Each structure stands twice: as structure tokens, then as C-alpha cells.
Amino acid sequence: MAICENRVVIVTGAGGGLGKAYALGFAAEGAKVIVNDINGKAAESVVETIKQSGGEAVVNSNDITDYEESALIVKQAIEAFGDLHVVVNNAGICRDRMFTSLSESDWDAVMAVHLKGHFCISSHAVKYWREQSKGGKDVNARIINTSSGAGLQGSIGQSNYAAAKGGIASLTLVQAAELARYGITANGLAPAARTGMTEDVFGDMMKKPEDGFDFYAPENVAPLVVWLGSEQSQNVSGRLFEVEGGKISLADGWRRGPENDKGARWEAAEIGQAIAGLIDEAVPAQKVYGT
């Protein structure tokens, strides 16, 4: 039996790239998919591909950055397929600038699509699942968020994107902790794949090889996302996975490092030596991308 048989899944930004790969992957494993993308024609193409393969899918072009419109995505899933089990927050944009050149609109646009977009649709889905749980239903729901290596380690020229993606990583931890009581898991991933967002910066590095394993194909990321959306992942929550090619790794997040307890208030003149000692003891951080 397919691992997502009859599960209802919303995938945002599913008109191309990773989102398309996720939508097709879920459909291949028996899920009913709401293909959300502001590019309605792209979404229609994905839905048609799913239907031609015998799957079930519907088009949605509502704006994930608008709270009320996001409610319509959840409503459509329930009306079209009778339930909702998984939200995959995938949609994203880039407005790359060095911090000194970053405009307010560059900042706001990236925060809206990434961070607010993750909040809006998940908020409506969680309210639906909470009501189901309170009504006595056995809920087995999933939130799958999209962070980035930029959000975990930082990235030169992407302060807005890195801040949004770092926020998503932290959001995932809180969602997992708060929502477990309702039967909801929350996990995130930091994928590396060839998409419209990466082609300008990493086009040469990520281009499709003439033969052999296509390391940066978005289809390589889809199996992990599909598994996270299945009932098989019930005991996995609050985790963030890095995935590229055939590699899956579990990110090791911020944790308390070396400590120096004086047992009394520090004098400002003492701080420098104390900090130097802590830095010497600490495991070096991963370098910021681009340095």
C-alpha cells in the first residue's frame, strides 16, 4: 500500500521546482493534493500531470501571505477531499542584496512570503486539527516547513532570506512542542536543489549533468518530504533535516556551550578575558555561506 494513501496534502509554491516534485511525489504515494501556486497556469500543469497518472489533485492560487486567503486554501482542501492531513510550506522568493543595499521592500517581501506565509496557512490548518482533536477524533497531522542552510549558518548577500529561514527553524521547534497534544507533528528541512530560486546564483554548479546521478534534482528531496507527511513519521517531530542529492542529515541546533560562572556579578573589565576563554573552549561554528 502507498504510504500516503488517501491523505490530503496542501503543497504551497507547487507550480515548479521543489513544490512540483513534492506534489508529484505525494500523488504517487496515494495522496490527494492541493497544488497551490500564485502562477495558476503552472499549478494547472502539475494537476494535469497528476491526473494523467491516475492521481487526484486540485488547483489553488490563493495568496499565502494573506491571512484570509490562506483560510480559503484550507477550506478548499476540506471541501474537495473531505479532510486535511498535511501542510507543506514550500513557497519562497529571493531578494538578494548586501545588507547596506537592502531596501525595506526587499526585507518585507521576503518576510511576507517565507515567515508570514508559513504562519498564515499553518494557523488555519492547526485550528481545524485542534477542533478535530477536541471533538474526540484521532488526529495524525503534519506541518512540514522549509528552512535553509542560509537560515542555519547565514549567507552573504541574503540577510533578509537568512533571517526569515532562521525564524522558520525556530518556529518549527515551538510548533512541535505546542501542537503534539493535538496529534500534530512539525518538522523542517533545508533542501539543496535546482529551482528557479537557485538558478541565478548556483546555475553552473547545479546544472543537470549529461549522464549519471542528477545530484541537484528536486526529485531527490521529495521522498523525505513525502515520508514526513505520512503516518509512518508519527514519532518524529521538532527536527530539521538537511537534504541534497542522496544525503540526509539531521541538523544540530543551538544549544548551551561552555560556561563560566563567577558566582557573583562580573566587572566590565573582567569580561574580555572570560569571553576569550569561552571562545577557546567552544566548538567552532560553521562558516557563513560565501565567506
Side-chain angles (χ1 to χ4, degrees):
M1 182 177 176
I3 68 169
C4 288
E5 193 72 34
N6 294 320
R7 283 176 75 76
V8 181
V9 181
I10 295 171
V11 183
T12 68
L18 285 165
K20 177 181 178 180
Y22 301 161
L24 296 177
F26 271 111
E29 288 293 339
K32 301 172 183 179
V33 188
I34 292 77
V35 179
N36 165 266
D37 203 291
I38 56 172
N39 184 336
K41 289 186 178 180
E44 287 174 7
S45 177
V46 175
V47 168
E48 185 59 30
T49 300
I50 290 172
K51 289 182 175 179
Q52 287 177 356
S53 299
E56 295 184 64
V58 294
V59 174
N60 179 280
S61 57
N62 288 112
D63 182 359
I64 62 167
T65 71
D66 183 285
Y67 193 72
E68 297 306 321
E69 284 209 30
S70 290
L72 299 178
I73 307 173
V74 173
K75 181 181 179 182
Q76 183 181 1
I78 297 165
E79 290 180 347
F81 299 123
D83 208 344
L84 175 65
H85 304 96
V86 184
V87 170
V88 181
N89 288 306
N90 166 75
I93 61 169
C94 282
R95 296 288 187 271
D96 293 352
R97 304 281 190 278
M98 298 300 283
F99 188 76
T100 54
S101 301
L102 193 68
S103 70
E104 182 181 12
S105 62
D106 293 330
W107 180 272
D108 288 346
V110 169
M111 289 295 165
V113 174
H114 291 277
L115 199 49
K116 187 180 179 184
H118 272 58
F119 162 72
C120 287
I121 191 166
S122 297
S123 172
H124 293 294
V126 163
K127 289 176 180 178
Y128 170 71
W129 292 325
R130 181 181 62 184
E131 288 306 307
Q132 286 187 315
S133 178
K134 287 183 175 181
K137 183 174 180 179
D138 184 17
V139 175
N140 203 332
R142 307 284 181 266
I143 297 173
I144 303 171
N145 294 329
T146 305
S147 184
S148 167
L152 304 181
Q153 283 93 43
S155 180
I156 296 295
Q158 292 190 305
S159 56
N160 50 356
Y161 181 77
K165 291 301 193 183
I168 288 167
S170 295
L171 171 65
T172 303
L173 298 179
V174 178
Q175 287 176 327
E178 291 185 355
L179 303 178
R181 72 189 73 179
Y182 304 119
I184 306 165
T185 70
N187 291 286
L189 66 152
R194 185 174 55 252
T195 69
M197 285 176 54
T198 62
E199 61 184 359
D200 290 340
V201 180
F202 302 109
D204 290 338
M205 182 183 78
M206 290 186 170
K207 67 182 179 181
K208 186 176 182 178
E210 294 183 4
D211 53 39
F213 180 46
D214 185 0
F215 188 85
Y216 289 108
E219 291 78 11
N220 298 335
V221 182
L224 171 62
V225 176
V226 173
W227 182 83
L228 286 172
S230 75
E231 292 190 359
Q232 294 181 8
S233 67
Q234 185 173 5
N235 296 323
V236 178
S237 194
R239 302 291 187 172
L240 199 145
F241 301 89
E242 293 188 87
V243 54
E244 58 177 354
K247 303 176 184 178
I248 300 174
S249 63
L250 189 63
D252 189 8
W254 289 100
R255 61 183 66 245
R256 181 170 293 181
E259 184 178 277
N260 187 335
D261 183 2
K262 180 182 176 182
R265 183 183 302 142
W266 289 89
E267 298 293 335
E270 299 175 312
I271 296 293
Q273 184 176 355
I275 295 300
L278 293 176
I279 291 174
D280 285 342
E281 291 181 55
V283 175
Q286 288 186 233
K287 289 186 176 182
V288 172
Y289 286 98
T291 60

